Amino acid sequence: MKHALILVALALLPGRSALPQKAPTPERHRRGLWGEFGGGPGYVRIACSSCTDVVGATGATSYFRIGGVISRNVVIGFEVFSLLDNAFGFSPQDSGATAETGTAAIILLWYPGRHGLYFKGGVGAAFGQFSVPVDSGGGGTAVADTSTGGGMGLTFGIGWDIAISRKFALTANATSFVTALGDVVAGSRRVDDLIASMYQVSIGFTIR
Amino acid sequence: MTASIIAALLAVQFDTTPRPLMAVAQTVAINVFVNRMDAWAFNQDWAQGVGPGSWSRNLRLGWEWDEDAFPTNMFAHPYHGGLYFNSGRANGLDYFRSVPLAFFGSWSWENFGETYRPSLNDWFMTSFGGITLGEVFHRVGATIRDNRASGMSRFMREVAALPVDPIGGLNRLIRGEWTARGANPPEHNPQDFVLRLGAGARFAKRFNGDATMTTGTFLLDLLYGDQVGQPYTGPFDVFNVRLVLTDYGGLNALRASGRLFGANLNNPNGRNRHMLAINQRYDFYKNPAQSVGGQSVEIGINSRWPIGHKGYAIRTAIFGDGIFLGAIDAPGTGLGDRNYDFGPGVGARWEFALERHGARFLRIFSQLEYIHAVSGASADHIVDFGGIEAAFPIMRGLGLSASSTVFGRTSRYSDGRARDARDYPEARLMLVWWKVGFGQ
């Protein structure tokens, strides 16, 4: 009788049931096919082989990701990212250029715990397009000299999925991109071995 | 009861609990050690001058391309990256959890370990190359060591593993595992393997004009695991390494390729086997006539068709690859003192082989790669490499090997320079010794 009372008392203890319980299954961060898009402010730093200093500019960024699930804590995806600056200049004197840089990369998101925190890493192709106004055509039409560069890039970042519901989340990101774009000839200026480093803070919407 | 006590003791002696903080601390310690050695022992200005001033300058200015020699960038840096990676592997972290250490170790060295601006090509080569070589070295080290051995044999094994996995060896020394006896880790025994060592003569053209030059050559081939015979269990459960040394130029070639992922494409119990594989690859080729290398990932199919019942089979492989960052020399390339270009690329390769019990005795192969330069000349390079290798047994485990290969390249420049195309044929004749543990 004494043992039976002890067992009953143990069973009634909150959170310490003596009876076997099924362990709660942690929610997956993302399931099946997932997608995410968003944007925010960014900063780009341009370095090149013949440059004595680096050029920095702010711009608007946007991104899109789509992917699948590898395991409970790791998801894989394809990400397209771009940064646009309409008042870019390779030197402080010329700030009338338009610069668009970005990456298309395979990424991995690793969630170290049950919370929405994740770390991102990825590698892929990179592109850059620079349009410099060089003259005015007849009738006031602006003429731009456009040059593109292509190469590869790395991306690293940190983010947090804030669940709105089981299917949707808001996602905060702080991400860096390092891209090598090769030689770019923009207007009368030749920029060799261009490296664009981009930093982005963004809010995204995730369907998961 | 006795078995459980022994198991408990072994668990204490060979603790495999992940120690991420220790791994990070060792990564930092590697950088501090290398920097102080260069500063105090070799009086290098770039090491002595590091401090808050260089750190803030490096962080402000960011990445650039460096002008180091080809072997430094394409071999020494990846080897260095392997130390970072193996600080994770030696502290109980698996492959994927060790990957960030390679990137972190290289990034922190580039920004804080030297006064030079951080080099983007170093970050790529040290990190990606370090992961590939690091995992290969970790597994080769585990294969050389034997936790069941004792005495001088045990000591010699631990010492022999040091050059390939120094971080693993030092961790074992600190933890008293050089003498502790117990079970070996799973990577100690690859199940199937082929080890081939060869020495002989190499005949190459275009090293010095059109004359044929004869040099000595040494070859090491290691097939660790079987691409089609073993189900996928984890990254680099199957890999292969080829090392070629010559008495004219030293390190001639080092190539390592490890399986990141594998999946059966047909019935695993079927006679013919086909497996999808994603491999991580490291390539280094260097001689007086050609320098090319890079870090890449490839995806393709490995197949094996048995012939008869005496162990003979046909092997084929067909793969497409993406080069994260490659390097190649060509006329007019380079930057400053550097005489080669950096760039990403794509490529493909195929292979046909005849084998007996896993040891290939006839192999025909071809590889084509495209590299778009992003540092150096404004150029696009196409590299093709193909050849035939044959081995003729003299007695059990010993034979003659003959091979003929052609390395070709075409470089197109966007600045109006003429297209450059050339090829480098060579042949090798070697006495080879092999040891095979395959399907047994």
Side-chain angles (χ1 to χ4, degrees):
Chain A
M1 182 63 187
K2 185 179 172 185
H3 291 110
L5 284 173
I6 291 170
L7 281 175
V8 170
L10 285 173
L12 291 175
L13 281 175
R16 291 275 183 172
S17 171
L19 300 174
Q21 284 189 333
K22 188 179 177 183
T25 305
E27 276 288 308
R28 279 179 176 267
H29 301 284
R30 301 186 183 198
R31 296 166 179 271
L33 181 68
W34 57 266
E36 178 187 343
F37 61 91
Y43 175 81
V44 60
R45 181 177 60 194
I46 302 280
C48 67
S49 292
S50 54
C51 306
T52 53
D53 205 343
V54 292
V55 178
T58 55
T61 69
S62 59
Y63 73 92
F64 171 74
R65 298 172 184 163
I66 189 167
V69 175
I70 290 181
S71 70
R72 185 173 297 280
N73 294 95
V74 180
V75 303
I76 189 169
F78 175 72
E79 177 190 77
V80 178
F81 162 83
S82 78
L83 181 147
L84 179 67
D85 177 23
N86 287 316
F88 180 77
F90 283 107
S91 67
Q93 288 76 35
D94 58 320
S95 58
T98 297
E100 185 173 12
T101 53
T103 61
I106 301 293
I107 59 167
L108 287 174
L109 306 184
W110 173 50
Y111 295 81
R114 290 185 177 187
H115 40 64
L117 174 73
Y118 67 80
F119 297 95
K120 184 190 85 164
V123 62
F127 67 92
Q129 179 169 297
F130 301 88
S131 297
V132 180
V134 291
D135 201 352
S136 291
T141 307
V143 177
D145 189 349
T146 300
S147 179
T148 58
M152 80 295 178
L154 282 178
T155 174
F156 292 93
I158 187 169
W160 194 293
D161 284 344
I162 305 156
I164 301 172
S165 69
R166 192 168 162 274
K167 284 281 186 188
F168 303 104
L170 286 176
T171 302
N173 284 290
T175 310
S176 67
F177 303 82
V178 182
T179 59
L181 302 175
D183 301 338
V184 171
V185 181
S188 59
R189 196 179 173 92
R190 179 186 175 88
V191 184
D192 288 329
D193 303 348
L194 191 148
I195 297 173
S197 302
M198 295 166 281
Y199 304 92
Q200 176 209 34
V201 178
S202 64
I203 291 290
F205 183 73
T206 301
I207 306 161
R208 50 184 187 154
Chain B
M1 186 63 183
T2 308
S4 62
I5 291 172
I6 291 172
L9 288 171
L10 293 182
V12 172
Q13 289 170 343
F14 295 96
D15 183 12
T16 54
T17 307
R19 294 176 289 272
L21 290 179
M22 178 59 80
V24 172
Q26 289 184 7
T27 303
V28 174
I30 290 167
N31 282 343
V32 172
F33 175 77
V34 174
N35 172 275
R36 289 299 88 193
M37 282 296 289
D38 281 311
W40 293 334
F42 302 109
N43 292 318
Q44 297 291 327
D45 291 340
W46 55 263
Q48 291 170 334
V50 297
S54 69
W55 299 342
S56 66
R57 174 179 166 274
N58 286 347
L59 290 172
R60 184 178 69 82
L61 295 178
W63 302 104
E64 67 169 2
W65 301 96
D66 75 16
E67 300 177 17
D68 288 345
F70 189 87
T72 304
N73 273 334
M74 303 304 292
F75 172 70
H77 288 321
Y79 181 86
H80 192 167
L83 304 183
Y84 300 134
F85 182 85
N86 280 338
S87 67
R89 296 297 271 136
N91 282 288
L93 305 187
D94 62 15
Y95 169 91
F96 287 111
R97 286 180 173 82
S98 300
V99 165
L101 290 168
F103 284 95
F104 167 72
S106 177
W107 180 86
S108 53
W109 171 262
E110 292 297 321
N111 281 281
F112 306 121
E114 50 190 5
T115 55
Y116 299 131
R117 274 178 62 183
S119 160
L120 184 59
N121 52 279
D122 283 355
W123 197 32
F124 264 84
M125 296 304 172
T126 307
S127 304
F128 287 111
I131 294 164
T132 309
L133 293 186
E135 183 64 20
V136 166
F137 289 155
H138 168 76
R139 286 176 180 267
V140 170
T143 304
I144 294 171
R145 299 182 192 110
D146 186 354
N147 294 338
R148 295 182 184 278
S150 60
M152 183 54 74
S153 161
R154 174 64 177 274
F155 179 75
M156 293 308 291
R157 281 174 174 269
E158 297 287 345
V159 171
L162 269 179
V164 290
D165 183 16
I167 299 299
L170 289 175
N171 273 279
R172 287 171 61 87
L173 185 65
I174 292 166
R175 293 198 292 260
E177 293 175 0
W178 275 40
T179 52
R181 295 183 69 188
N184 283 307
E187 52 265 37
H188 173 74
N189 182 5
Q191 297 176 40
D192 298 329
F193 72 92
V194 178
L195 174 64
R196 201 162 65 116
L197 299 175
R202 172 197 194 203
F203 313 95
K205 292 191 79 170
R206 312 239 206 306
F207 277 13
N208 189 8
D210 273 348
T212 299
M213 179 178 280
T214 304
T215 65
T217 187
F218 168 82
L219 170 87
L220 181 151
D221 262 340
L222 173 64
L223 306 181
Y224 177 105
D226 181 7
Q227 287 278 6
V228 295
Q230 290 179 213
Y232 173 71
T233 56
F236 283 70
D237 60 342
V238 173
F239 67 80
N240 59 68
V241 179
R242 167 164 286 196
L243 170 71
V244 182
L245 303 174
T246 72
D247 63 355
Y248 187 72
L251 180 60
N252 172 216
L254 178 60
R255 179 178 177 171
S257 172
R259 184 164 74 176
L260 282 180
F261 175 76
N264 287 312
L265 293 178
N266 68 339
N267 182 355
N269 299 318
R271 182 169 164 78
N272 300 333
R273 296 285 292 110
H274 309 287
M275 278 196 81
L276 176 78
I278 298 175
N279 299 329
Q280 184 174 0
R281 216 171 72 197
Y282 165 88
D283 292 294
F284 175 97
Y285 299 97
K286 173 85 175 83
N287 62 44
Q290 62 206 25
S291 302
V292 65
Q295 319 300 333
S296 53
V297 167
E298 62 180 14
I299 181 168
I301 298 171
N302 286 301
S303 299
R304 183 172 188 264
W305 285 275
I307 305 169
H309 298 279
K310 294 185 176 177
Y312 289 97
I314 293 172
R315 287 239 182 194
T316 61
I318 182 162
F319 280 82
D321 65 70
I323 303 170
F324 298 142
L325 191 64
I328 181 170
D329 71 335
T333 58
L335 169 72
D337 292 335
R338 200 181 76 212
N339 61 356
Y340 55 94
D341 286 348
F342 283 115
V346 293
R349 70 176 179 90
W350 64 263
E351 179 178 329
F352 172 91
L354 292 175
E355 66 168 35
R356 183 158 191 251
H357 295 309
R360 293 146 176 82
F361 58 86
L362 178 67
R363 181 171 168 255
I364 305 167
F365 59 93
S366 181
Q367 183 175 348
L368 186 71
E369 304 288 348
Y370 161 80
I371 295 176
H372 169 70
V374 294
S375 174
S378 295
D380 294 289
H381 307 282
I382 293 174
V383 180
D384 61 277
F385 179 64
I388 181 168
E389 295 178 355
F392 311 96
I394 301 171
M395 53 189 286
R396 186 179 176 84
L398 198 66
L400 276 177
S401 168
S403 68
S404 174
T405 57
V406 177
F407 180 100
R409 69 170 62 182
T410 304
S411 298
R412 292 185 175 85
Y413 302 90
S414 60
D415 58 4
R417 269 181 283 177
R419 187 178 75 112
D420 182 80
R422 57 182 63 190
D423 61 72
Y424 304 96
E426 70 172 53
R428 293 170 200 262
L429 189 61
M430 287 184 290
L431 186 66
V432 293
W433 168 88
W434 63 81
K435 185 173 175 60
V436 177
F438 196 85
Q440 296 162 357

